[in-house]
Every structure is written in structure tokens, then in C-alpha cells.
Amino acid sequence: MKMEDIAKIAGVSKSAVSLAFSGKPGISLETRERILQIAQESGYLPKGKSPTLDHTAKSLTFLVIANSGIVLEQYYQQPFFRELIHFIEERCRAKGYSLLFSSIDMEFFDRDIRMVAEEKKSNGVVLLGTNLDREQIADIAGKIQPLVVLDTCFDTLPIHFVEINNFMGAYQAGNHLCKIGHNDIGYIESNVRIHNFEERKRGFTAAIHEHGREIPDTHRFSVAPTILSSQDSLKAQLEAFLKKGNRLPTAVFCECDYIAISAMKTLQELGYRVPDDVSVIGFDNITEAVIVSPELTTVHVEKQRMAYLAVDLLIESIELEQSAGTKIRVDTHFIERQSSRVK
């Protein structure tokens, strides 16, 4: 039997079979399991090896629960997560561990988490917590250990967390805008709410309040957080705002770089110049921040440090059997580029 035959029986592409054997992301857990089961039943040995995992090797699993809001099914193509994965893999190699990938659909949350827990294919799990709430993480932690949750935090859970200092980053952005003379400030938020965005809203609001500024309700806009192109919904909101006789804010803070880049393109389509008419600030410092024109002023997230800390904390839990939960918050720093200017 050949790889093409496995693909035909499973009803998938040859590349999907390759991903299943390599343990790389790109297919769902259900698809991966189906492919491996077919291969095993057929006696297929890829490159002289069994498609089942070598349980004597040291490995960690990067577990993602995908949905249609923040963490997409093709999450490994999203700039922020792509960078995190790169650094996680890098740290695993340095520590003598391989990295496996497991992605499940939020729709099958209970079933697939149970499946991951029962199979226990690696020594420990780094869970991407970006889009998960407290109850979901508590449920996972009750079934899977050792576990480190990356990119969110819930202080009342006795679990290892490594997160961004979201409050600090947004505070830095708000402080910057006020210091360069902006009084009329707008806020573009995600229409999908998660812990990180709520903390950024708190931090930005705290900064401008310290400078005696407020954001009127009319200056708050809401858009999808995973679109890099211009958005019709934002264009409609801005046009409705302008038709009421309002003037655009001189600066806007966006809850992530995706939103900031989308906002810049939308503003340009409406005939506004960034930063001459409107300064735009983002959050995350994804690689695309220096590709767009003008280059994006943003909050830099130490993705490498977060990834390294998560891997180190998990390996410590495995090798030293440390059970007490640890909360780590990684500070940010502000990067001023060409999308903002003095008012």
C-alpha cells in the first residue's frame, strides 16, 4: 500500500496523510486519528517506521482548540501564532524534546479533549489559551496534566499560565498618544471578546484617564479581529459617524495589529491619510507591521520569551514533578513607527 492509497481510503489529500505521519499542524485531530488508524490496520510503514508515536522519546504537545473567532482552523498561518509556534519548537529542540501538534474543533470540545487525555501521546501539553474561558481551561486541566496554558490567565485556577502584560502594553499606547498631543482619541475593538482584549481596554482607558481624556461612546468602533484587508463593516460605521457631522478622531488605538492594519486600509479607501489625518496604533508587533505602508506603530509582545518560559515551565513540571501553579506575565515595550505622529 502507498501513501496515495491511504489518502484515498481516508478521503483526504496526500499532503494530509503526510501531516498526520509527521505530527505537524494543518489537520484536525479526528482526521489525524483516522489516517493513522487506516495506516496501522493496513500495515503501512512510512519511511520504515510505524505511524504510531515512539513513546520512549521525550515530546510535548501543542494543543489548540480552534473556532471561527480568534484562533482559526488554519491557526498556524496566523502571524502571531506562527511566531509563537516557531519559538516553541526552537525551545523544545534545545531541551531535547520533540513537539507534536493537536488541533481540535470547538464544536467537538468535550469528545476531543477526552480523546487527547486518554491517548496521552506526549509527556506534557502546552495549551494555547487565547480563545478559551475559565471553565474550558479548568475542564481541560482536570483531564490533562502536566499542562501549561499560554496567552491568557485566570488567577483563581491552580494552573501554570504564561501571558502577555496586556494592561501594560495598552497603557503604553495610551500614554504615548496623550504625550504627543492627541485629545480626540478613538478606540477600535474586536467584536469577539477575550481576556487579552479586556485587559488591553482597561490599560488604555487607565492611561488616557490619567491625562484627563475620555473616549466618547461615539468614538468606539467594533470589527472582526482576524482580517488584514479593509472591512466593509468598519467603513459603514465610519461613514455613519461622519454623516452625523462628526469629525474623525485624530488618533485610534486598535486592540491588535490585525485590526490596526485593517483600519489603515479602510481609512485610506475613505480618502484619509495615515498618519496625517489619523494616527493608528496596534498591538502585538506581528511581522506584517513593518510590511504595510506606513509601518505600524505598535506594542511589541515578547513572543520568544513567552514561548521559552512556557516550555521551560512545562519541562520543570515533568522532570521535577512540580505541582504548584505558577502565573507569569511578560512585559511589553512600545515601538513608534510611521503610522502615528505628533498632533
Side-chain angles (χ1 to χ4, degrees), residues 311-341:
V311 171
D312 290 355
L313 191 56
L314 184 55
I315 292 174
E316 180 183 281
S317 297
I318 295 166
E319 298 182 354
L320 301 181
E321 298 183 356
Q322 297 286 351
S323 58
T326 302
K327 312 290 187 290
I328 300 176
R329 184 171 292 123
V330 180
D331 288 349
T332 60
H333 68 264
F334 189 76
I335 298 180
E336 185 176 4
R337 297 196 181 104
Q338 288 75 49
S339 71
S340 62
R341 61 176 293 180

Side-chain angles (χ1 to χ4, degrees), residues 12-165:
V12 298
S13 65
K14 184 178 175 181
S15 61
V17 176
S18 178
L19 289 172
F21 290 147
S22 66
K24 293 182 179 179
I27 56 174
S28 68
L29 175 66
E30 184 178 13
T31 299
R32 188 185 308 278
E33 294 300 328
R34 186 169 75 253
I35 292 170
L36 292 178
Q37 183 177 354
I38 292 170
Q40 194 169 31
E41 291 173 353
S42 304
Y44 179 77
L45 302 176
K47 295 183 180 180
K49 296 180 181 180
S50 168
T52 56
L53 292 170
D54 178 4
H55 291 282
T56 64
K58 296 191 298 184
S59 63
L60 304 180
T61 295
F62 184 65
L63 175 60
V64 176
I65 290 83
N67 61 13
S68 60
I70 295 290
V71 182
L72 308 179
E73 185 177 351
Q74 307 295 318
Y75 66 91
Y76 48 88
Q77 294 179 356
Q78 293 178 253
F80 182 86
F81 303 130
R82 184 177 65 227
E83 291 179 57
L84 271 183
I85 290 168
H86 166 74
F87 292 124
I88 291 171
E89 286 184 307
E90 186 176 81
R91 193 59 167 177
C92 283
R93 285 195 299 271
K95 293 291 186 176
Y97 282 73
S98 61
L99 184 64
L100 310 176
F101 295 88
S102 187
S103 174
I104 66 178
D105 192 318
M106 188 74 80
E107 184 179 351
F108 306 107
F109 179 88
D110 292 332
R111 183 198 68 185
D112 288 352
I113 288 298
R114 195 162 51 248
M115 188 183 301
V116 171
E118 289 171 355
E119 291 178 346
K120 197 171 177 57
K121 288 188 172 182
S122 66
N123 301 91
V125 172
V126 176
L127 171 66
L128 183 66
T130 312
N131 58 332
L132 303 178
D133 61 30
R134 184 186 183 282
E135 288 69 30
Q136 290 166 333
I137 292 173
D139 187 18
I140 294 169
K143 296 180 174 69
I144 299 174
Q145 288 293 335
L147 176 76
V148 171
V149 183
L150 183 60
D151 198 34
T152 194
C153 184
F154 294 94
D155 289 333
T156 57
L157 292 179
I159 301 169
H160 295 311
F161 285 97
V162 178
E163 71 160 342
I164 306 163
N165 191 337

Side-chain angles (χ1 to χ4, degrees), residues 187-237:
Y187 192 97
I188 306 181
E189 67 179 23
S190 164
N191 60 13
V192 179
R193 305 310 298 165
I194 58 173
H195 165 80
N196 290 353
F197 293 155
E198 295 298 340
E199 287 298 295
R200 292 172 194 182
K201 180 180 285 187
R202 286 201 319 112
F204 189 79
T205 301
I208 65 169
H209 280 179
E210 285 186 11
H211 289 272
R213 273 85 155 173
E214 296 281 348
I215 301 176
D217 289 341
T218 55
H219 287 43
R220 296 182 182 274
F221 308 95
S222 177
V223 297
T226 56
I227 298 174
L228 284 171
S229 59
S230 64
Q231 296 193 46
D232 290 339
S233 63
L234 179 57
K235 188 180 294 185
Q237 290 173 64

Side-chain angles (χ1 to χ4, degrees), residues 292-325:
V292 294
S293 181
E295 292 185 4
L296 181 64
T297 297
T298 187
V299 175
H300 177 71
V301 173
E302 295 286 350
K303 294 175 277 291
Q304 181 180 35
R305 181 155 175 74
M306 289 175 61
Y308 280 24
L309 284 167
V311 171
D312 290 355
L313 191 56
L314 184 55
I315 292 174
E316 180 183 281
S317 297
I318 295 166
E319 298 182 354
L320 301 181
E321 298 183 356
Q322 297 286 351
S323 58

